[in-house]
Amino acid sequence: MARLLGVSTSGYYAHVKRVAATVLTPWRQRRADLAVKIMDVHAESDGTYGSPRITTELRARGETVNEKTVAAIMAEVGIEGSSPRTFKVRTTVADPAASFPPDLVARRFDQGGLDAVWLTDITYLSVKSITQLVDVRYRESAQDRTG
């Protein structure tokens, strides 16, 4: 066929591949339709729904769709869900009738010498791994030692 057209073999097959890429097959049409529906549901949720909720919503509307397909289309389009829920620290609610231990340092934490007052605090941090937390603490203590 390439000789008949007077083109190179690689040029002919490159052309065939380009033409095939532009033809709208039923599979590509279905993905394009799903992409529009996914973007509609995502917009209706104010950008909070991820692939599990969008899949549930599409199924409620009568679509037969898989969550992995929805996730893949969302990645192609460049949208993602976000959770409006955040981590809330729940600490102990103090009992006003409870007795508290005496303040032995009278809120004066600098007593003029090392290791005179020891304190502790609980801090909730959102970190990817405990290694990062330990690394940050190690660097802080190294800076304290060097001045």
Side-chain angles (χ1 to χ4, degrees), residues 22-139:
T22 59
V23 173
L24 199 58
T25 63
W27 180 83
R28 287 188 181 156
Q29 180 65 47
R30 167 100 170 116
R31 294 220 14 140
D33 292 342
L34 277 176
V36 170
K37 291 176 183 178
I38 288 169
M39 289 178 12
D40 286 343
V41 173
H42 190 261
E44 288 172 10
S45 72
D46 294 325
T48 58
Y49 280 12
S51 58
R53 284 178 158 179
I54 289 178
T55 303
T56 303
E57 181 64 30
L58 289 175
R59 286 178 180 163
R61 294 181 183 185
E63 287 290 328
T64 304
V65 67
N66 185 345
E67 183 180 330
K68 291 183 180 181
T69 303
V70 172
I73 293 173
M74 286 177 69
E76 288 172 9
V77 176
I79 58 176
E80 58 185 25
S82 63
S83 177
R85 297 178 294 252
T86 58
F87 174 71
K88 293 185 180 179
V89 176
R90 175 139 176 112
T91 58
T92 305
V93 178
D95 181 12
S99 63
F100 292 97
D103 185 3
L104 300 176
V105 294
R107 309 290 298 169
R108 290 184 299 117
F109 303 112
D110 185 9
Q111 296 289 322
L114 295 177
D115 290 335
V117 177
W118 285 54
L119 303 170
T120 186
D121 184 24
I122 298 174
T123 304
Y124 294 91
L125 299 173
S126 176
V127 293
K128 291 181 183 174
S129 70
I130 192 66
T131 310
Q132 290 176 338
L133 182 62
V134 170
D135 181 47
V136 169
R137 185 63 195 122
Y138 174 76
R139 290 177 189 209

